[in-house]
């Protein structure tokens, strides 16, 4: 049977014959119980103890008691079977985190202008070298260019 459980915390990782995963503490129907989540079924790294999923309702399945002595077994449903709200929330959180990390690589306006002028200077020097002008000709042209710029201002 399928129900929802509120994630309280992640207890530990395990390795069994069926695969690796984590044991979660979840609040199911008003009481805390342990729930199994397998890595092959769900991205278990998202269930870390400081995860944004703490306190969120996740879809779980449980096998009913066969007799009064057996314990109910709870297992987190596969990623595909989680609610759209949870999946979209996770995707949104990941995209936001990636965007915040990547925005740091885009230079500010004043830094971009400095980089552009440096690129132009390097390009001009390489063109002069390619055209075969020696260093005295280059320094004379630079001084003439600088005088021309000063006169225009």
């Amino acid at each position: 049977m399928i129900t929802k459980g509120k994630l309280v915390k992640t207890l530990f990782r395990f390795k069994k014959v069926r695969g690796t995963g984590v044991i979660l503490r979840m609040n199911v129907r008003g009481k805390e119980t342990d729930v199994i989540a397998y890595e092959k079924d769900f991205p278990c790294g998202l269930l870390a103890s400081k995860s944004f999923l703490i306190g969120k309702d996740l879809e779980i399945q449980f096998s009913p008691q066969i007799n009064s002595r057996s314990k109910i077994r709870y297992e987190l449903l596969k990623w595909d079977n989680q609610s759209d709200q949870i999946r979209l929330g996770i995707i949104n959180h990941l995209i936001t985190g990636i965007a915040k990390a990547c925005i740091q690589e885009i230079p500010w306006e004043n830094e971009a202008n400095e980089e552009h002028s440096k690129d132009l200077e390097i390009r001009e020097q390489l063109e002069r070298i390619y055209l075969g002008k020696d260093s005295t000709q280059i320094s004379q042209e630079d001084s003439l260019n600088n005088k021309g710029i000063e006169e225009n201002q």
Side-chain angles (χ1 to χ4, degrees):
M1 301 193 61
I2 297 174
T3 188
K4 288 184 184 261
K6 189 176 294 282
L7 182 60
V8 176
K9 66 180 178 176
T10 303
L11 300 176
F12 57 86
R13 294 173 65 189
F14 66 85
K15 186 178 263 188
K16 293 185 178 184
V17 175
R18 186 169 166 201
T20 58
V22 294
I23 300 292
L24 311 167
R25 179 72 39 90
M26 296 184 79
N27 189 332
V28 181
R29 297 182 177 175
K31 67 178 189 176
E32 287 190 3
T33 188
D34 294 346
V35 178
I36 296 173
Y38 288 100
E39 287 181 4
K40 65 180 179 133
D41 296 334
F42 193 90
C44 291
L46 299 176
L47 300 168
S49 61
K50 295 180 182 179
S51 170
F52 59 95
L53 290 175
I54 301 295
K56 303 282 190 235
D57 286 329
L58 300 172
E59 303 284 334
I60 59 173
Q61 68 181 359
F62 64 96
S63 51
Q65 296 176 332
I66 297 170
N67 58 40
S68 60
R69 292 185 181 173
S70 65
K71 187 176 179 183
I72 297 177
R73 184 171 184 269
Y74 294 94
E75 186 175 328
L76 192 65
L77 285 178
K78 293 181 179 186
W79 170 257
D80 294 339
N81 295 357
Q82 293 297 322
S83 69
D84 288 342
Q85 181 180 6
I86 287 295
R87 290 190 304 175
L88 291 175
I90 290 170
I91 291 169
N92 185 41
H93 189 75
L94 293 174
I95 289 172
T96 302
I98 291 168
K100 283 181 183 178
C102 291
I103 193 74
Q104 300 303 321
E105 294 181 23
I106 301 173
W108 288 99
E109 181 179 15
N110 58 349
E111 294 170 356
N113 291 337
E114 291 172 10
E115 297 257 339
H116 181 67
S117 63
K118 288 178 187 176
D119 289 344
L120 288 176
E121 288 176 26
I122 292 170
R123 183 181 299 155
E124 288 173 1
Q125 288 177 351
L126 290 173
E127 287 175 356
R128 289 182 202 143
I129 292 170
Y130 179 74
L131 295 173
K133 299 177 181 177
D134 63 15
S135 60
T136 55
Q137 288 175 322
I138 293 172
S139 60
Q140 288 173 354
E141 282 184 11
D142 284 344
S143 62
L144 289 174
N145 285 339
N146 289 338
K147 285 181 186 176
I149 291 171
E150 292 171 3
E151 290 174 0
N152 289 337
Q153 292 176 352

